[in-house]
Amino acid sequence: MNVLILGAGVTGLSIGQLLRKKCDVTILEKDAIIGGIAKTKQVNGITYHTVGGHCFNSKHKEIMSLAFDLLPIEQWHQVKRTSRINMGQYEVDYPIEYSIKQIYEKDPKLAYEITLDFLSSVDSGSYYNLEEWFRQKFGNKLCDLYFLPYNTKIWGRSPNLMSHEWVQDKLPIPNKESFFTALMNSQVDNMPHSQFYYPNSNNQKTFIDALASNLNIICNQEAKSIKKTSTGWMVNELYNADILISTIPLNLLPRYVEGIPESVIKSAEQLKYNKVSNVFWESQPTDKTWTYQPSIDSIFHRYIHIGNFFDTRKNYTITEAIGVRSYEEMVEYGRKDPFLIAPLDYNISEHAYVVYDENRDKEVKHIQEYLESINLISIGRFGQWDYFNMDICMKQSYETYLKILKWL
């Protein structure tokens, strides 16, 4: 059975690894470098992520096994996630809802208002948009103080124009009991990425290369023509396959598929996403791994202290801003913070984050239903148009692999 995979990011490489012993697998990658949005770049011998801060952990045992089979656990080290939120005059631990005691030390009145509001909030279980979800889960005070300004920044639009569906398993969500416990004692974030694994090489590319091992990958080969044939698929009039798996962004894929209905193309054109601009800096020492920046006075939405992902810590930080920002603007804002010493590199991503606007669910359903009807498998963060972390991309690859096994 010939399998053709479009895209050599984490999803494409994972499904390739799972299928390679059962099928003849070929992966086409449009870029010269594999890795997708998890690819890294080296500057002065130091590696940083050009999109986000990709780290690895999972609550799914089969995904941990897949990762450690490819790159043994001895070649990883664990990092404790130490995240802070910049409140302007002071910082508190992330997540903010467990840090009311810290706010109380700086602003007792604000802490009292947050507590009263949270404990009296009512969660109906029904939400029309992301802002309603925040208000019902966290109360109006926390919503206005942190969740609305921060999420307006990272999505580039008001949360009342967005779906709440993406937040499942992305945020720690306290109930009133855990919130009250945090007022009395220390409460911690127990989500999977509260601790994570990073390669001992201090370069996520080591894991990407492990995912790519023993795979037939053809780089600089963009899929521009996809045809359904009597026996399977043909891509670029050159590559034939019995099974076709795409990780191409869902807003782009339909335009390459021969004979696709115009309505599907129009649905794809409705999908929204954000690019990300970042600057890699030499920075002051810190014990943090992330710092969130909700203030509207800064274009940055977070600092990724990538040097603290390393097994021997180094003083390097990535500043991120949503959208296309010039190098000059990024450096101008960075120089306002004495923590950031010297800019070393600059990057603008293409696809970085899908946007869950009011059209997303309907348009994605329409596209996916058509693709399923012609047996074109579309998976991954952008193939599903979903906010998947690295481990969830691998989990979806694993689930797809199990389905394909039934066909063999």
Side-chain angles (χ1 to χ4, degrees):
M1 187 78 73
N2 293 319
V3 176
L4 189 61
I5 300 168
L6 307 180
V10 168
T11 304
L13 296 173
S14 297
I15 188 69
Q17 278 294 338
L18 290 162
L19 286 171
R20 71 179 179 84
K21 293 182 180 179
K22 303 283 186 180
C23 305
D24 183 1
V25 175
T26 299
I27 302 178
L28 303 184
E29 169 55 48
K30 72 179 179 110
D31 292 333
I33 302 172
I34 64 172
I37 64 170
K39 64 170 64 81
T40 59
K41 186 176 180 181
Q42 279 206 334
V43 178
N44 300 335
I46 304 298
T47 303
Y48 82 102
H49 298 268
T50 57
V51 180
H54 297 273
C55 55
F56 177 73
N57 202 353
S58 182
K59 65 183 180 181
H60 305 289
K61 292 181 179 179
E62 66 273 23
I63 303 309
M64 298 298 287
S65 295
L66 173 61
F68 293 149
D69 284 346
L70 293 167
L71 187 67
I73 193 169
E74 296 80 14
Q75 297 184 43
W76 300 79
H77 57 272
Q78 277 193 286
V79 181
K80 180 182 178 181
R81 176 175 177 146
T82 306
S83 300
R84 303 276 284 174
I85 300 168
N86 183 358
M87 304 295 290
Q89 299 301 314
Y90 57 94
E91 292 184 349
V92 299
D93 290 341
Y94 174 91
I96 192 171
E97 59 272 19
Y98 292 150
S99 300
I100 309 307
K101 285 177 70 175
Q102 295 174 26
I103 294 176
Y104 177 82
E105 293 171 1
K106 303 292 183 179
D107 191 337
K109 183 174 183 293
L110 176 61
Y112 170 76
E113 291 173 348
I114 291 171
T115 302
L116 183 64
D117 189 51
F118 184 94
L119 294 176
S120 60
S121 64
V122 176
D123 186 352
S124 70
S126 177
Y127 326 102
Y128 290 105
N129 54 56
L130 182 58
E131 179 176 338
E132 278 199 4
W133 187 90
F134 283 134
R135 292 194 183 281
Q136 292 192 38
K137 293 291 185 183
F138 299 100
N140 291 324
K141 197 68 181 181
L142 271 179
C143 182
D144 293 333
L145 176 70
Y146 172 69
F147 289 104
L148 281 190
Y150 183 73
N151 281 273
T152 298
K153 263 182 146 178
I154 63 172
W155 302 114
R157 65 200 64 224
S158 172
N160 65 17
L161 300 175
M162 295 180 60
S163 167
H164 68 282
E165 297 291 341
W166 66 272
V167 292
Q168 184 67 34
D169 294 329
K170 299 297 189 304
L171 299 177
I173 304 171
N175 55 30
K176 288 179 169 58
E177 182 179 354
S178 61
F179 180 89
F180 180 77
T181 300
L183 294 175
M184 301 295 105
N185 307 290
S186 295
Q187 189 82 353
V188 297
D189 172 13
N190 290 315
M191 295 190 72
H193 289 98
S194 59
Q195 291 195 35
F196 58 88
Y197 291 88
Y198 206 72
N200 290 343
S201 63
N202 297 330
N203 187 346
Q204 193 65 268
K205 183 178 183 296
T206 303
F207 181 45
I208 298 301
D209 289 344
L211 280 172
S213 60
N214 300 308
L215 290 174
N216 178 28
I217 304 170
I218 304 173
C219 290
N220 298 308
Q221 187 63 244
E222 182 176 2
K224 295 182 177 180
S225 169
I226 300 172
K227 293 182 180 180
K228 181 78 169 171
T229 68
S230 59
T231 57
W233 294 93
M234 178 177 284
V235 174
N236 292 352
E237 303 290 344
L238 183 61
Y239 302 97
N240 291 286
D242 301 301
I243 297 173
L244 182 63
I245 302 171
S246 173
T247 67
I248 294 173
L250 212 53
N251 67 318
L252 301 178
L253 176 62
R255 71 178 70 172
Y256 306 135
V257 180
E258 185 179 272
I260 200 164
E262 186 65 26
S263 64
V264 178
I265 293 175
K266 288 183 177 179
S267 285
E269 291 171 348
Q270 294 299 311
L271 299 180
K272 303 293 191 302
Y273 67 96
N274 285 329
K275 299 182 179 184
V276 165
S277 303
N278 68 31
V279 170
F280 178 49
W281 298 79
E282 180 187 356
S283 57
Q284 301 286 354
T286 180
D287 63 349
K288 297 175 288 186
T289 50
W290 278 268
T291 304
Y292 296 100
Q293 308 283 349
S295 172
I296 61 174
D297 295 331
S298 172
I299 62 172
F300 304 133
H301 63 276
R302 66 177 174 178
Y303 292 1
I304 303 168
H305 304 290
I306 188 66
N308 287 342
F309 290 23
F310 302 163
D311 59 350
T312 300
R313 291 185 170 190
K314 297 182 182 295
N315 300 326
Y316 294 99
T317 291
I318 304 165
T319 56
E320 279 194 334
I322 291 297
V324 176
R325 304 279 187 168
S326 70
Y327 172 80
E328 292 75 17
E329 184 181 18
M330 295 282 284
V331 171
E332 177 187 351
Y333 273 90
R335 293 204 185 282
K336 294 178 182 179
D337 186 349
F339 171 78
L340 301 169
I341 297 173
L344 302 176
D345 201 37
Y346 164 70
N347 186 76
I348 299 176
S349 73
E350 182 49 43
H351 287 73
Y353 301 106
V354 303
V355 172
Y356 290 79
D357 66 4
E358 64 275 18
N359 297 314
R360 183 262 173 201
D361 292 352
K362 178 185 70 172
E363 308 300 356
V364 168
K365 181 181 179 184
H366 184 211
I367 299 166
Q368 289 286 8
E369 284 179 348
Y370 177 77
L371 295 179
E372 289 170 8
S373 76
I374 60 173
N375 294 320
L376 200 169
I377 301 169
S378 179
I379 57 175
R381 175 183 282 207
F382 296 107
Q384 286 283 304
W385 212 256
D386 220 330
Y387 187 24
F388 292 155
N389 292 326
M390 182 185 293
D391 69 304
I392 301 303
C393 289
M394 295 175 68
K395 179 71 162 60
Q396 192 177 52
S397 294
Y398 186 80
E399 291 169 351
T400 303
Y401 161 71
L402 294 179
K403 290 179 183 177
I404 292 174
L405 282 185
K406 297 177 181 178
W407 304 345
L408 301 179

